Amino acid sequence: MDPLTGRVFALVAASRSARASSTGPRRPAPAGLRFKPIVYATALDNGYTPSTVIVDGPIEIDQGPGLPPWRPENFEASFAGPKPLRYGIEHSKNLMTSGSPRMSACR
């Protein structure tokens, strides 16, 4: 990450091959693992900086008539509260990317 602009040059993830069976089928990575980098990169391209504060906390998003609300969670089922965007990238926080209302509320 460029510290002056916040531009992301590379994204690195842990290898899943260490945990995967060499003889069994591999499951595809969850969509969130592929989606979060796009959300963070888009935020950085649209005026957010690594220092922009975003809330990592519970959120409930209406999905429309007849559907239950969506309540996304972090993998570790905990919340960090208001944190800079860089924290969300470093710790791969799901809730910090779950909806534009969350991001725009802290700009």
Side-chain angles (χ1 to χ4, degrees):
M1 181 182 293
D2 183 327
L4 299 176
T5 65
R7 188 141 200 66
V8 176
F9 293 115
L11 296 169
V12 180
S15 169
R16 293 184 177 274
S17 61
R19 295 182 300 193
S21 166
S22 60
T23 58
R26 289 191 176 175
R27 289 187 290 176
L33 291 177
R34 294 185 180 127
F35 187 69
K36 278 187 287 190
I38 295 167
V39 173
Y40 283 122
T42 301
L44 292 169
D45 283 345
N46 285 282
Y48 289 81
T49 70
S51 302
T52 302
V53 175
I54 309 293
V55 176
D56 178 43
I59 186 171
E60 185 174 287
I61 299 172
D62 181 39
Q63 298 190 90
L67 296 171
W70 177 47
R71 294 181 186 97
E73 297 177 346
N74 285 324
F75 176 77
E76 63 282 345
S78 64
F79 311 114
K83 294 287 183 186
L85 186 65
R86 116 178 13 92
Y87 179 88
I89 295 169
E90 292 167 351
H91 296 273
S92 190
K93 292 296 192 174
N94 297 330
L95 293 172
M96 291 176 78
T97 62
S98 58
S100 56
R102 162 124 13 232
M103 290 189 136
S104 62
C106 297
R107 270 188 90 175

XYZ file of all heavy atoms in Angstrom:
803
model
N 0.852 -1.166 0.000
C 0.000 0.000 0.000
C 0.894 1.224 0.000
O 1.858 1.304 0.745
C -0.895 -0.016 1.234
C -1.831 1.154 1.297
S -2.889 1.228 2.753
C -3.915 -0.177 2.482
N 0.555 2.168 -0.868
C 1.274 3.424 -0.913
C 0.810 4.273 0.273
O -0.375 4.597 0.374
C 0.976 4.129 -2.226
C 1.744 5.436 -2.392
O 2.000 6.126 -1.379
O 2.076 5.764 -3.537
N 1.709 4.631 1.196
C 1.283 5.371 2.385
C 0.776 6.783 2.090
O 0.047 7.356 2.885
C 2.544 5.421 3.257
C 3.672 5.181 2.321
C 3.143 4.343 1.196
N 1.131 7.357 0.942
C 0.675 8.700 0.609
C -0.714 8.716 -0.026
O -1.516 9.587 0.270
C 1.678 9.376 -0.331
C 3.086 9.561 0.244
C 4.012 10.139 -0.810
C 3.046 10.456 1.470
N -0.987 7.744 -0.890
C -2.263 7.738 -1.605
C -3.233 6.673 -1.126
O -4.426 6.745 -1.395
C -2.038 7.507 -3.110
O -1.505 6.189 -3.296
C -1.102 8.546 -3.709
N -2.716 5.632 -0.433
C -3.566 4.533 -0.005
C -3.787 3.505 -1.089
O -4.477 2.514 -0.898
N -3.202 3.716 -2.268
C -3.367 2.787 -3.382
C -2.790 1.429 -3.001
O -1.708 1.342 -2.448
C -2.668 3.308 -4.612
C -2.947 2.507 -5.850
C -3.083 3.476 -6.988
N -3.745 3.098 -8.164
C -5.030 2.811 -8.315
N -5.803 2.762 -7.282
N -5.545 2.567 -9.476
N -3.541 0.378 -3.287
C -3.110 -0.978 -2.986
C -2.336 -1.516 -4.187
O -2.851 -1.555 -5.304
C -4.315 -1.895 -2.680
C -3.873 -3.319 -2.467
C -5.063 -1.373 -1.470
N -1.093 -1.924 -3.957
C -0.262 -2.476 -5.024
C -0.373 -3.994 -5.100
O -0.280 -4.579 -6.158
C 1.207 -2.102 -4.815
C 1.463 -0.630 -4.959
C 1.892 0.110 -3.881
C 1.272 0.015 -6.172
C 2.136 1.461 -4.008
C 1.498 1.367 -6.299
C 1.937 2.101 -5.223
N -0.561 -4.627 -3.950
C -0.629 -6.088 -3.928
C -1.471 -6.535 -2.748
O -1.498 -5.893 -1.715
C 0.771 -6.678 -3.811
N -2.159 -7.629 -2.939
C -2.928 -8.260 -1.868
C -2.384 -9.667 -1.692
O -2.208 -10.389 -2.675
C -4.414 -8.314 -2.223
C -5.089 -6.962 -2.379
C -6.477 -7.135 -2.987
C -5.206 -6.295 -1.022
N -2.098 -10.039 -0.478
C -1.523 -11.347 -0.210
C -2.422 -12.086 0.760
O -2.881 -11.528 1.749
C -0.106 -11.199 0.412
C 0.494 -12.555 0.693
C 0.789 -10.388 -0.511
N -2.683 -13.343 0.476
C -3.513 -14.180 1.348
C -2.729 -15.430 1.718
O -1.813 -15.829 1.007
C -4.811 -14.551 0.651
N -3.113 -16.033 2.824
C -2.470 -17.265 3.258
C -2.786 -18.384 2.280
O -3.860 -18.432 1.692
C -2.938 -17.641 4.658
N -1.859 -19.270 2.138
C -2.065 -20.417 1.257
C -3.025 -21.394 1.895
O -2.902 -21.747 3.055
C -0.727 -21.112 1.005
O -0.946 -22.340 0.380
N -3.994 -21.831 1.135
C -4.943 -22.825 1.620
C -4.411 -24.235 1.377
O -4.946 -25.192 1.893
C -6.288 -22.651 0.922
C -6.966 -21.366 1.301
C -8.330 -21.314 0.650
N -9.025 -20.127 1.068
C -9.759 -20.046 2.174
N -9.906 -21.062 2.955
N -10.352 -18.927 2.491
N -3.367 -24.355 0.569
C -2.876 -25.683 0.216
C -2.330 -26.437 1.422
O -2.351 -27.656 1.446
C -1.816 -25.586 -0.880
O -0.714 -24.828 -0.418
N -1.857 -25.713 2.426
C -1.330 -26.380 3.618
C -2.418 -27.129 4.364
O -2.170 -28.150 4.993
C -0.665 -25.366 4.536
N -3.665 -26.624 4.279
C -4.774 -27.258 4.985
C -5.572 -28.199 4.091
O -6.347 -28.997 4.565
C -5.713 -26.196 5.539
C -5.064 -25.344 6.599
C -6.051 -24.369 7.133
N -6.503 -23.517 6.033
C -7.174 -22.408 6.197
N -7.495 -22.011 7.395
N -7.554 -21.688 5.171
N -5.414 -28.063 2.782
C -6.219 -28.859 1.857
C -5.629 -30.253 1.689
O -4.422 -30.445 1.703
C -6.291 -28.155 0.510
N -6.475 -31.202 1.516
C -6.043 -32.565 1.259
C -5.508 -32.646 -0.163
O -6.100 -32.120 -1.095
C -7.231 -33.514 1.427
O -6.924 -34.766 0.883
N -4.387 -33.330 -0.343
C -3.824 -33.443 -1.678
C -4.607 -34.426 -2.537
O -4.453 -34.455 -3.748
C -2.354 -33.868 -1.597
O -2.261 -35.115 -0.947
N -5.433 -35.268 -1.912
C -6.189 -36.257 -2.680
C -7.661 -35.917 -2.799
O -8.329 -36.419 -3.675
C -6.068 -37.652 -2.036
O -6.550 -37.572 -0.694
C -4.634 -38.121 -2.041
N -8.165 -35.066 -1.922
C -9.586 -34.728 -1.939
C -9.860 -33.494 -2.765
O -8.947 -32.746 -3.125
N -11.130 -33.250 -3.077
C -11.473 -32.053 -3.854
C -11.316 -30.796 -3.010
O -11.494 -30.830 -1.799
C -12.932 -32.282 -4.231
C -13.453 -33.203 -3.182
C -12.281 -34.061 -2.756
N -10.974 -29.713 -3.655
C -10.858 -28.427 -2.963
C -12.157 -27.659 -3.118
O -12.741 -27.625 -4.186
C -9.722 -27.607 -3.542
C -8.395 -28.156 -3.197
C -7.358 -27.151 -3.584
N -6.069 -27.636 -3.156
C -4.947 -27.046 -3.420
N -4.949 -25.942 -4.128
N -3.809 -27.523 -2.998
N -12.569 -27.060 -2.029
C -13.744 -26.193 -2.089
C -13.300 -24.811 -2.526
O -12.224 -24.364 -2.146
C -14.414 -26.108 -0.721
C -15.096 -27.394 -0.329
C -15.869 -27.211 0.927
N -14.912 -27.039 2.028
C -15.250 -26.772 3.268
N -16.516 -26.610 3.583
N -14.359 -26.654 4.199
N -14.126 -24.125 -3.289
C -13.770 -22.754 -3.663
C -13.750 -21.853 -2.425
O -14.456 -22.109 -1.453
C -14.866 -22.319 -4.630
C -15.871 -23.405 -4.660
C -15.360 -24.566 -3.871
N -12.936 -20.826 -2.483
C -12.867 -19.873 -1.377
C -14.207 -19.148 -1.258
O -14.883 -18.915 -2.254
C -11.757 -18.867 -1.631
N -14.619 -18.795 -0.026
C -15.862 -18.044 0.145
C -15.831 -16.743 -0.658
O -14.776 -16.141 -0.843
C -15.912 -17.755 1.645
C -15.012 -18.759 2.268
C -13.957 -19.073 1.243
N -16.990 -16.326 -1.108
C -17.084 -15.124 -1.946
C -16.491 -13.901 -1.257
O -15.887 -13.046 -1.910
C -18.534 -14.874 -2.321
N -16.664 -13.802 0.071
C -16.150 -12.651 0.796
C -14.655 -12.488 0.680
O -14.132 -11.362 0.653
N -13.937 -13.588 0.605
C -12.485 -13.498 0.467
C -12.094 -12.859 -0.853
O -11.068 -12.201 -0.946
C -11.846 -14.890 0.566
C -11.898 -15.544 1.935
C -11.296 -16.942 1.886
C -11.147 -14.704 2.947
N -12.911 -13.043 -1.858
C -12.632 -12.445 -3.159
C -13.222 -11.042 -3.268
O -12.733 -10.220 -4.022
C -13.215 -13.328 -4.259
C -12.530 -14.651 -4.333
C -13.045 -15.444 -5.501
N -12.358 -16.715 -5.548
C -12.959 -17.882 -5.603
N -14.271 -17.930 -5.631
N -12.268 -18.998 -5.631
N -14.290 -10.781 -2.537
C -15.028 -9.532 -2.660
C -14.429 -8.398 -1.832
O -14.406 -7.248 -2.275
C -16.484 -9.790 -2.260
C -17.394 -8.629 -2.488
C -17.711 -8.233 -3.772
C -17.935 -7.938 -1.426
C -18.561 -7.161 -3.992
C -18.788 -6.867 -1.636
C -19.091 -6.485 -2.930
N -13.944 -8.703 -0.631
C -13.418 -7.647 0.253
C -12.322 -6.809 -0.392
O -12.371 -5.578 -0.293
C -12.919 -8.246 1.567
C -14.019 -8.487 2.560
C -13.477 -8.922 3.901
C -12.992 -10.347 3.803
N -12.666 -10.952 5.067
N -11.336 -7.407 -1.055
C -10.301 -6.559 -1.671
C -10.873 -5.578 -2.689
O -10.388 -4.456 -2.808
C -9.364 -7.572 -2.349
C -9.584 -8.843 -1.619
C -11.021 -8.829 -1.192
N -11.914 -5.996 -3.410
C -12.532 -5.104 -4.398
C -13.205 -3.930 -3.703
O -13.093 -2.782 -4.131
C -13.533 -5.890 -5.274
C -12.774 -6.929 -6.098
C -14.342 -4.954 -6.158
C -13.653 -7.957 -6.760
N -13.896 -4.201 -2.595
C -14.572 -3.131 -1.854
C -13.550 -2.149 -1.292
O -13.707 -0.928 -1.422
C -15.450 -3.712 -0.715
C -16.023 -2.596 0.158
C -16.562 -4.565 -1.292
N -12.485 -2.660 -0.671
C -11.461 -1.774 -0.114
C -10.782 -0.962 -1.221
O -10.564 0.235 -1.070
C -10.429 -2.562 0.682
C -10.916 -2.994 2.046
C -10.942 -4.326 2.409
C -11.347 -2.055 2.977
C -11.386 -4.722 3.669
C -11.794 -2.428 4.232
C -11.799 -3.765 4.569
O -12.237 -4.145 5.807
N -10.430 -1.594 -2.340
C -9.776 -0.878 -3.440
C -10.694 0.203 -4.006
O -10.243 1.318 -4.295
C -9.371 -1.860 -4.537
N -11.989 -0.100 -4.128
C -12.953 0.888 -4.620
C -13.056 2.063 -3.659
O -13.117 3.226 -4.082
C -14.331 0.228 -4.829
O -14.186 -0.830 -5.778
C -15.357 1.228 -5.328
N -13.077 1.766 -2.357
C -13.126 2.851 -1.364
C -11.903 3.756 -1.499
O -12.025 4.984 -1.500
C -13.210 2.266 0.043
N -10.731 3.156 -1.643
C -9.505 3.941 -1.769
C -9.494 4.749 -3.065
O -8.983 5.870 -3.104
C -8.285 3.023 -1.694
C -8.060 2.380 -0.328
C -7.006 1.286 -0.412
C -7.679 3.411 0.717
N -10.058 4.201 -4.121
C -10.130 4.924 -5.398
C -11.169 6.044 -5.380
O -11.192 6.887 -6.273
C -10.465 3.970 -6.545
C -9.271 3.133 -6.976
O -8.136 3.481 -6.606
O -9.493 2.136 -7.691
N -12.040 6.053 -4.362
C -13.121 7.043 -4.300
C -13.016 7.978 -3.105
O -14.022 8.395 -2.543
C -14.475 6.334 -4.313
C -14.803 5.824 -5.691
O -15.209 6.583 -6.554
N -14.595 4.539 -5.913
N -11.795 8.289 -2.707
C -11.600 9.321 -1.702
C -11.332 8.857 -0.281
O -10.979 9.661 0.570
N -11.522 7.585 -0.008
C -11.171 7.077 1.319
C -9.658 6.973 1.396
O -8.983 6.815 0.386
C -11.789 5.705 1.566
C -13.286 5.722 1.752
C -14.139 5.770 0.652
C -13.846 5.695 3.018
C -15.511 5.797 0.809
C -15.220 5.715 3.181
C -16.049 5.768 2.079
O -17.403 5.798 2.242
N -9.124 7.078 2.603
C -7.685 6.915 2.808
C -7.492 5.793 3.812
O -8.444 5.371 4.471
C -7.055 8.205 3.371
O -7.502 8.382 4.724
C -7.408 9.421 2.526
N -6.262 5.320 3.984
C -6.025 4.300 5.006
C -6.419 4.779 6.408
O -6.670 3.976 7.297
C -4.529 4.035 4.918
C -4.182 4.365 3.503
C -5.075 5.533 3.152
N -6.518 6.098 6.596
C -6.869 6.658 7.906
C -8.365 6.902 8.094
O -8.800 7.236 9.191
C -6.136 7.976 8.121
O -4.747 7.785 8.025
N -9.170 6.749 7.042
C -10.616 6.964 7.142
C -11.200 5.997 8.167
O -10.944 4.801 8.110
C -11.303 6.746 5.781
O -10.737 7.636 4.826
C -12.803 6.981 5.878
N -11.969 6.512 9.100
C -12.534 5.680 10.166
C -13.828 5.030 9.683
O -14.723 5.692 9.165
C -12.788 6.507 11.446
C -13.489 5.667 12.501
C -11.476 7.045 11.979
N -13.907 3.709 9.861
C -15.075 2.901 9.503
C -15.461 2.109 10.758
O -14.598 1.660 11.500
C -14.749 1.908 8.368
C -14.095 2.602 7.176
C -15.983 1.123 7.951
C -14.970 3.544 6.430
N -16.739 1.903 10.980
C -17.204 1.155 12.152
C -17.171 -0.344 11.876
O -17.730 -0.815 10.885
C -18.633 1.576 12.557
C -19.137 0.722 13.709
C -18.656 3.038 12.925
N -16.496 -1.083 12.731
C -16.543 -2.545 12.716
C -17.474 -2.944 13.851
O -17.062 -3.032 15.006
C -15.152 -3.147 12.915
C -15.193 -4.668 12.956
O -15.903 -5.265 12.121
O -14.531 -5.254 13.824
N -18.730 -3.097 13.532
C -19.726 -3.417 14.545
C -20.941 -4.054 13.907
O -21.036 -4.166 12.689
N -21.879 -4.484 14.731
C -23.060 -5.164 14.197
C -23.869 -4.247 13.276
O -23.950 -3.052 13.494
C -23.859 -5.545 15.436
C -23.294 -4.769 16.561
C -21.923 -4.332 16.171
N -24.416 -4.855 12.239
C -25.243 -4.128 11.285
C -26.350 -5.067 10.813
O -26.157 -6.287 10.749
C -24.412 -3.598 10.093
C -25.267 -2.722 9.183
C -23.758 -4.734 9.331
C -24.486 -1.989 8.107
N -27.493 -4.498 10.533
C -28.629 -5.261 10.013
C -29.100 -4.558 8.749
O -29.407 -3.374 8.776
C -29.737 -5.317 11.056
C -30.897 -6.180 10.666
C -31.900 -6.311 11.793
O -31.603 -7.010 12.779
O -32.976 -5.703 11.675
N -29.142 -5.295 7.642
C -29.497 -4.708 6.347
C -30.789 -5.349 5.846
O -30.881 -6.579 5.742
C -28.352 -4.896 5.338
C -27.089 -4.187 5.857
C -28.752 -4.373 3.966
C -25.842 -4.432 5.068
N -31.767 -4.494 5.554
C -33.056 -4.968 5.047
C -32.868 -5.532 3.644
O -32.215 -4.927 2.796
C -34.046 -3.800 5.016
C -35.413 -4.213 4.520
O -35.873 -5.319 4.868
O -36.020 -3.426 3.773
N -33.434 -6.723 3.405
C -33.329 -7.367 2.099
C -34.601 -7.259 1.272
O -34.660 -7.773 0.170
C -32.971 -8.844 2.256
C -31.638 -9.077 2.915
C -31.252 -10.521 2.819
O -30.607 -10.930 1.861
N -31.631 -11.316 3.803
N -35.615 -6.621 1.814
C -36.856 -6.456 1.066
C -38.009 -7.219 1.689
O -37.831 -8.000 2.620
N -39.191 -7.008 1.151
C -40.397 -7.638 1.699
C -40.311 -9.164 1.698
O -39.906 -9.775 0.726
C -41.509 -7.170 0.758
C -40.969 -5.975 0.053
C -39.493 -6.152 0.006
N -40.686 -9.740 2.829
C -40.731 -11.192 2.953
C -39.398 -11.866 3.206
O -39.340 -13.085 3.347
N -38.314 -11.116 3.256
C -36.991 -11.701 3.496
C -36.479 -11.272 4.867
O -36.699 -10.144 5.287
C -36.004 -11.247 2.416
C -36.321 -11.703 0.991
C -35.396 -11.016 0.006
C -36.196 -13.212 0.883
N -35.776 -12.154 5.539
C -35.210 -11.774 6.840
C -34.083 -10.769 6.646
O -33.453 -10.736 5.583
C -34.682 -13.094 7.386
C -34.366 -13.907 6.177
C -35.398 -13.515 5.151
N -33.814 -9.947 7.654
C -32.695 -9.007 7.523
C -31.371 -9.770 7.434
O -31.220 -10.852 7.992
C -32.774 -8.167 8.799
C -33.621 -8.936 9.734
C -34.486 -9.842 8.943
N -30.436 -9.180 6.717
C -29.096 -9.757 6.610
C -28.259 -9.212 7.749
O -28.177 -8.005 7.956
C -28.487 -9.396 5.255
C -27.087 -9.875 5.057
C -26.585 -11.122 5.318
C -25.995 -9.113 4.551
N -25.255 -11.187 4.982
C -24.864 -9.955 4.508
C -25.867 -7.796 4.111
C -23.625 -9.543 4.055
C -24.636 -7.386 3.655
C -23.517 -8.240 3.633
N -27.639 -10.093 8.506
C -26.784 -9.712 9.634
C -25.394 -10.301 9.413
O -25.092 -11.379 9.921
C -27.378 -10.222 10.942
C -28.685 -9.571 11.312
C -29.224 -10.111 12.639
N -30.531 -9.582 12.915
C -31.673 -10.214 12.643
N -31.663 -11.412 12.100
N -32.827 -9.643 12.904
N -24.554 -9.621 8.641
C -23.208 -10.155 8.387
C -22.399 -10.219 9.678
O -22.681 -9.507 10.642
C -22.606 -9.166 7.395
C -23.387 -7.917 7.570
C -24.762 -8.321 8.026
N -21.396 -11.085 9.681
C -20.547 -11.272 10.863
C -19.087 -11.311 10.450
O -18.768 -11.657 9.318
C -20.892 -12.590 11.560
C -22.296 -12.669 12.093
C -22.602 -14.029 12.715
O -21.833 -14.985 12.494
O -23.610 -14.117 13.419
N -18.210 -10.994 11.391
C -16.789 -11.221 11.208
C -16.505 -12.693 11.476
O -17.229 -13.347 12.232
C -15.965 -10.359 12.177
C -15.936 -8.909 11.756
O -15.902 -8.589 10.575
N -15.960 -8.012 12.725
N -15.447 -13.211 10.904
C -15.090 -14.614 11.084
C -14.957 -14.967 12.564
O -15.440 -15.986 13.016
C -13.773 -14.923 10.345
C -13.294 -16.319 10.557
C -13.893 -17.381 9.881
C -12.257 -16.597 11.428
C -13.461 -18.685 10.075
C -11.817 -17.888 11.630
C -12.425 -18.937 10.946
N -14.329 -14.082 13.335
C -14.086 -14.366 14.749
C -15.252 -13.960 15.652
O -15.158 -14.057 16.871
C -12.787 -13.713 15.220
C -12.756 -12.207 15.172
C -12.526 -11.632 13.777
O -12.115 -12.361 12.867
O -12.775 -10.430 13.613
N -16.351 -13.512 15.068
C -17.576 -13.155 15.808
C -17.346 -12.097 16.886
O -17.941 -12.141 17.949
C -18.237 -14.394 16.388
N -16.446 -11.155 16.612
C -16.224 -10.053 17.545
C -16.212 -8.749 16.761
O -16.127 -8.746 15.536
C -14.896 -10.241 18.294
O -13.813 -10.183 17.387
N -16.295 -7.638 17.480
C -16.336 -6.318 16.867
C -15.200 -5.471 17.421
O -14.910 -5.520 18.609
C -17.660 -5.618 17.167
C -18.863 -6.482 16.895
C -19.674 -6.900 17.928
C -19.173 -6.886 15.611
C -20.786 -7.690 17.692
C -20.271 -7.683 15.358
C -21.084 -8.081 16.395
N -14.597 -4.654 16.565
C -13.491 -3.801 16.997
C -13.917 -2.357 17.201
O -13.154 -1.557 17.724
C -12.351 -3.868 15.977
N -15.142 -1.993 16.773
C -15.599 -0.616 16.908
C -15.033 0.258 15.801
O -14.593 -0.233 14.771
N -15.023 1.580 15.999
C -14.487 2.480 14.971
C -12.977 2.271 14.809
O -12.224 2.348 15.780
C -14.780 3.875 15.511
C -15.809 3.681 16.570
C -15.604 2.305 17.114
N -12.571 2.002 13.591
C -11.149 1.750 13.290
C -10.816 2.339 11.931
O -11.676 2.461 11.065
C -10.851 0.245 13.242
C -10.992 -0.473 14.565
C -9.851 -0.105 15.467
C -9.950 -0.881 16.773
N -8.959 -0.478 17.730
N -9.544 2.660 11.687
C -9.165 3.153 10.363
C -9.308 2.050 9.307
O -9.202 0.857 9.619
C -7.707 3.576 10.530
C -7.251 3.050 11.823
C -8.443 2.654 12.628
N -9.533 2.466 8.082
C -9.682 1.531 6.980
C -8.508 0.555 6.907
O -8.686 -0.630 6.638
C -9.792 2.324 5.670
C -10.097 1.555 4.407
C -11.488 0.931 4.485
C -9.995 2.466 3.207
N -7.311 1.043 7.191
C -6.122 0.178 7.144
C -6.288 -1.021 8.082
O -5.874 -2.120 7.773
C -4.870 1.008 7.448
C -4.109 0.679 8.671
C -2.841 1.486 8.933
N -2.611 2.669 8.164
C -2.986 3.896 8.535
N -3.632 4.082 9.655
N -2.732 4.928 7.778
N -6.937 -0.829 9.236
C -7.168 -1.926 10.185
C -8.057 -2.998 9.542
O -7.810 -4.191 9.679
C -7.816 -1.385 11.457
C -8.121 -2.431 12.499
C -7.165 -2.777 13.447
C -9.354 -3.060 12.541
C -7.439 -3.738 14.405
C -9.639 -4.020 13.492
C -8.676 -4.356 14.420
O -8.953 -5.314 15.368
N -9.094 -2.556 8.834
C -9.980 -3.503 8.173
C -9.265 -4.319 7.123
O -9.504 -5.514 6.975
N -8.368 -3.674 6.381
C -7.590 -4.382 5.368
C -6.621 -5.359 6.028
O -6.544 -6.524 5.654
C -6.822 -3.372 4.477
C -7.811 -2.522 3.683
C -5.858 -4.101 3.551
C -7.190 -1.333 2.981
N -5.905 -4.890 7.037
C -4.905 -5.731 7.710
C -5.524 -6.941 8.391
O -4.933 -8.010 8.434
C -4.146 -4.902 8.754
C -3.267 -3.840 8.164
C -2.771 -2.849 9.198
O -3.238 -2.869 10.361
O -1.917 -2.016 8.833
N -6.731 -6.769 8.957
C -7.369 -7.838 9.731
C -8.509 -8.525 8.974
O -9.229 -9.330 9.563
C -7.876 -7.275 11.063
C -6.765 -6.788 11.935
N -6.080 -7.603 12.814
C -6.183 -5.559 12.044
C -5.143 -6.908 13.426
N -5.188 -5.658 12.974
N -8.674 -8.196 7.705
C -9.682 -8.815 6.842
C -11.068 -8.787 7.489
O -11.759 -9.794 7.592
C -9.275 -10.251 6.500
O -10.110 -10.774 5.505
N -11.489 -7.611 7.919
C -12.776 -7.454 8.602
C -13.940 -7.451 7.622
O -13.978 -6.658 6.681
C -12.798 -6.153 9.419
C -11.860 -6.171 10.604
C -12.303 -7.219 11.583
C -11.616 -7.110 12.904
N -12.163 -8.035 13.870
N -14.883 -8.349 7.823
C -16.067 -8.455 6.958
C -17.016 -7.281 7.160
O -17.539 -6.723 6.204
C -16.829 -9.744 7.248
C -16.022 -10.976 6.942
O -15.178 -10.972 6.059
N -16.275 -12.030 7.678
N -17.278 -6.931 8.413
C -18.302 -5.933 8.710
C -17.929 -4.541 8.224
O -18.799 -3.720 7.965
C -18.609 -5.910 10.206
C -19.283 -7.174 10.710
C -19.378 -7.166 12.220
C -20.659 -7.320 10.095
N -16.651 -4.268 8.080
C -16.237 -2.947 7.615
C -16.513 -2.773 6.126
O -16.466 -1.666 5.615
C -14.765 -2.712 7.943
C -14.534 -2.572 9.442
S -12.813 -2.416 9.906
C -12.504 -0.705 9.498
N -16.837 -3.855 5.424
C -17.137 -3.766 3.993
C -18.608 -4.043 3.696
O -19.014 -4.053 2.546
C -16.305 -4.781 3.190
O -16.644 -6.101 3.601
C -14.831 -4.546 3.355
N -19.418 -4.241 4.716
C -20.786 -4.714 4.497
C -21.794 -3.577 4.358
O -22.626 -3.351 5.223
C -21.218 -5.663 5.619
O -21.107 -5.004 6.857
N -21.701 -2.866 3.279
C -22.725 -1.856 2.990
C -22.184 -0.457 2.965
O -21.476 -0.033 3.861
N -22.565 0.278 1.940
C -22.113 1.658 1.812
C -22.602 2.562 2.942
O -21.919 3.506 3.298
C -22.504 2.235 0.457
O -23.886 2.126 0.270
N -23.792 2.282 3.561
C -24.177 3.150 4.680
C -23.140 3.131 5.803
O -22.852 4.138 6.418
C -25.507 2.566 5.162
C -26.032 1.828 3.993
C -24.822 1.320 3.255
N -22.556 1.986 6.049
C -21.544 1.859 7.102
C -20.342 2.725 6.760
O -19.809 3.438 7.583
C -21.130 0.404 7.234
C -19.845 0.220 7.936
C -19.769 -0.655 9.134
N -20.848 -1.494 9.414
C -21.436 -1.530 10.599
N -21.022 -0.756 11.565
N -22.408 -2.340 10.830
N -19.864 2.665 5.527
C -18.684 3.426 5.149
C -18.973 4.914 5.081
O -18.224 5.716 5.595
C -18.137 2.935 3.816
C -17.520 1.567 3.882
S -16.686 1.158 2.367
C -15.190 0.443 3.010
N -20.082 5.310 4.475
C -20.353 6.740 4.305
C -20.674 7.428 5.624
O -20.486 8.626 5.755
C -21.483 6.944 3.298
O -22.671 6.356 3.760
N -21.136 6.693 6.612
C -21.481 7.293 7.913
C -20.264 7.817 8.643
O -20.384 8.681 9.492
C -22.205 6.269 8.783
N -19.096 7.315 8.310
C -17.889 7.692 9.054
C -16.961 8.611 8.283
O -15.914 8.953 8.760
C -17.120 6.436 9.435
S -18.053 5.371 10.517
N -17.345 8.988 7.076
C -16.462 9.842 6.275
C -16.381 11.225 6.821
O -17.258 11.776 7.386
C -16.954 9.901 4.843
C -16.309 8.790 4.056
C -16.606 8.938 2.634
N -15.558 9.763 2.074
C -15.452 10.019 0.803
N -16.320 9.548 -0.016
N -14.504 10.764 0.335
